[in-house]
Amino acid sequence: MKYMLLINAGTSAQDDDACTVEDWMAYDQAVREAGVWVSGESLADLVTATTVRVSKDGKRSVTDGPYAETREVLGGFYVIDVPDLDVALDWAARCPGARGGGSIVVRPVADFGM
């Protein structure tokens, strides 16, 4: 079963438990060597984001941002293929993004049989 691990990074740079580049490299290597890696990407800084909304009349609105007041920002994702949710949660707990005020949201990937 495929699961997406959405990595929400904490926005506080003051946390002593923040992860290092080496932590990420080790985690990425472990996911790949375990044979569960399907895909994954790190996202560019939040200031590069653009938000698109479409009104009821079909008009498109494009704004820089988002600029929501939040303590976490989506920093990237992994898609892993594991036997069940418990294994996906184990991989999420090992992810460096779960430290330093961050969190990992685990969601099954929908399979529409196509």
Side-chain angles (χ1 to χ4, degrees), residues 7 17 25 44 52 56 63 66 68-69 72 79 91 97:
I7 304 162
D17 196 28
M25 291 173 62
V52 177
K56 288 182 183 180
T63 56
E69 293 295 323
E72 295 180 334
V79 176
W91 279 105

Side-chain angles (χ1 to χ4, degrees), residues 61-78:
S61 168
V62 179
T63 56
D64 291 336
Y67 293 109
E69 293 295 323
T70 182
R71 293 185 179 157
E72 295 180 334
V73 294
L74 182 60
F77 70 92
Y78 279 90

Side-chain angles (χ1 to χ4, degrees), residues 94-108:
R94 294 173 58 184
C95 183
R99 300 192 315 251
S103 66
I104 309 299
V105 176
V106 179
R107 294 186 59 179

Side-chain angles (χ1 to χ4, degrees), residues 8 14 19 45 47 49 51 60 69-70 74 82 92 98 109 112:
N8 293 304
Q14 300 172 355
C19 53
D45 193 273
V47 298
T51 300
R60 181 176 75 170
E69 293 295 323
T70 182
L74 182 60
V82 294
V109 174
F112 296 108

Side-chain angles (χ1 to χ4, degrees), residues 18-29:
C19 53
T20 65
V21 172
E22 291 78 15
D23 294 333
W24 282 108
M25 291 173 62
Y27 180 76
D28 194 71
Q29 182 178 359

Side-chain angles (χ1 to χ4, degrees), residues 33-89:
E33 287 179 354
V36 300
W37 184 86
V38 175
S39 67
E41 296 290 339
S42 177
L43 300 177
D45 193 273
L46 184 62
V47 298
T48 65
T50 304
T51 300
V52 177
R53 291 182 174 86
V54 179
S55 65
K56 288 182 183 180
D57 63 1
K59 289 186 182 177
R60 181 176 75 170
S61 168
V62 179
T63 56
D64 291 336
Y67 293 109
E69 293 295 323
T70 182
R71 293 185 179 157
E72 295 180 334
V73 294
L74 182 60
F77 70 92
Y78 279 90
V79 176
I80 58 174
D81 193 353
V82 294
D84 55 43
L85 178 60
D86 288 334
V87 176
L89 294 175

